[in-house]
């Protein structure tokens, strides 16, 4: 029961973790913009999110039998949340659009754009979580509370 | 929490860039230094950046900071000007100036300050994102 209510939040949590992972990666690229020989890195967000949520039930529309109504809550939570190991996203190297004499492949324009894009999407994921929480709190309120 | 690593990464870059700016400042300050009695003039210095891995746990390479590995001296010959009346002139009447190239140093300075600004902006973004994360679930 509880896992069915928090399933949507679980999905957004995975997305948030991956977004912060990507934010850190892009920050590393920007920090190393002047380091000779540094190779810019990134990962495929869609693929990483698919991998991270593939074992999850109830989040992507497929409801597993484990979190049916009446299933023990604690066992459910252990199986779904606490025991799950997090797969690290597979890092890829960027192909330089312009070659550099010092073999550094950080493209500052691309990194800045990716950084801004990722920050915005991190924030929107946060808003989705907040919306989910508010929906759940509203559902828990008794009619007399307004 | 991977977001907190951003402060270490951007902070290391900021300190490396400010060290670079420092070196540029001393080069520009010594652009017109002449050789002393030993015949050796000021040599332009340049910082060498190196990636340093600062991630924790299983993925140490996920966050890569920067540090200054060495500061190297440019070994090229300094500018020599014929000026026999100059107190620093050698027996042939030549004065040896430092080998600082002012144009190169100005370009270096602009590049360092741009990179510094970029990293400050990265830090500010990370700070505002973390602040919003702290308020998660409050409305």
């Amino acid at each position: 029961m509880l896992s069915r209510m928090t399933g949507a939040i679980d999905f957004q949590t995975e997305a948030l973790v991956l977004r912060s992972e990507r934010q850190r990666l892009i920050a590393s690229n920007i920090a190393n913009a002047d380091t000779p020989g540094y190779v810019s890195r990134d990962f495929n967000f869609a693929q990483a999110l698919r991998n991270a949520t593939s074992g999850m039930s109830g989040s992507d529309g497929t409801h597993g039998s484990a979190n049916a109504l009446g299933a023990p809550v604690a066992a459910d939570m252990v199986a779904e949340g606490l025991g799950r190991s997090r797969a690290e996203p597979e890092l890829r190297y960027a192909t330089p659009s312009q070659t550099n004499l010092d073999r550094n492949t950080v493209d500052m324009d691309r990194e800045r754009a990716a950084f801004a894009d990722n920050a915005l999407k991190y924030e929107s994921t946060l808003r989705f979580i907040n919306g989910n929480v508010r929906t759940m709190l509203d559902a828990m309120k008794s009619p007399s509370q307004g | 929490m991977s977001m907190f690593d951003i402060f270490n990464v951007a902070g290391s870059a900021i300190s490396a860039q400010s060290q670079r700016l420092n070196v540029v400042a001393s080069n520009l300050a010594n652009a017109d230094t002449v050789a002393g009695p030993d015949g050796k003039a000021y040599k332009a210095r340049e910082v060498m950046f190196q990636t340093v891995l600062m991630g924790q746990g299983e993925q140490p390479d996920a966050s890569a900071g920067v540090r200054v590995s060495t500061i190297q001296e440019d070994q090229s010959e300094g500018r020599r000007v014929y000026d026999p009346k100059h107190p620093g002139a050698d027996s042939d009447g030549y004065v040896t100036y430092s080998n600082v190239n002012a144009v190169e140093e100005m370009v270096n300075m602009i590049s360092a300050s741009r990179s510094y600004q970029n990293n400050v902006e990265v830090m500010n973004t990370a700070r505002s994102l973390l602040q919003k994360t702290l308020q998660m679930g409050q409305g």
Side-chain angles (χ1 to χ4, degrees), chain A residues 11 16 55 68 78 80 101 136:
Chain A
F11 177 78
L16 199 68
V78 170
E80 286 251 321
L101 268 182
M136 251 184 335

Side-chain angles (χ1 to χ4, degrees), chain A residues 36-114:
Chain A
Y38 181 84
V39 184
S40 177
R41 294 169 309 166
D42 204 347
F43 64 84
N44 185 341
F45 185 83
Q47 187 63 47
L49 186 61
R50 216 172 292 135
N51 289 345
T53 57
S54 59
M56 201 184 282
S57 55
S59 55
D60 47 355
T62 56
H63 289 275
S65 58
N67 51 354
L69 284 172
V73 169
D76 236 26
M77 280 170 75
V78 170
E80 286 251 321
L82 305 176
R84 190 170 55 231
S85 64
R86 187 156 275 130
E88 302 288 353
E90 183 198 354
L91 299 184
R92 303 242 177 144
Y93 296 111
T95 322
S97 53
Q98 293 175 59
T99 47
N100 210 334
L101 268 182
D102 61 2
R103 298 190 321 282
N104 182 307
T105 66
V106 178
D107 183 345
M108 205 34 139
D109 302 328
R110 193 170 58 192
E111 301 296 341
R112 287 286 300 265

Side-chain angles (χ1 to χ4, degrees), chain A residues 3-13 56-59 129 132:
Chain A
S3 67
R4 179 167 286 198
M5 288 169 82
T6 57
I9 293 186
D10 270 355
F11 177 78
Q12 303 290 359
T13 309
M56 201 184 282
S57 55
S59 55
I129 292 180
N132 270 323

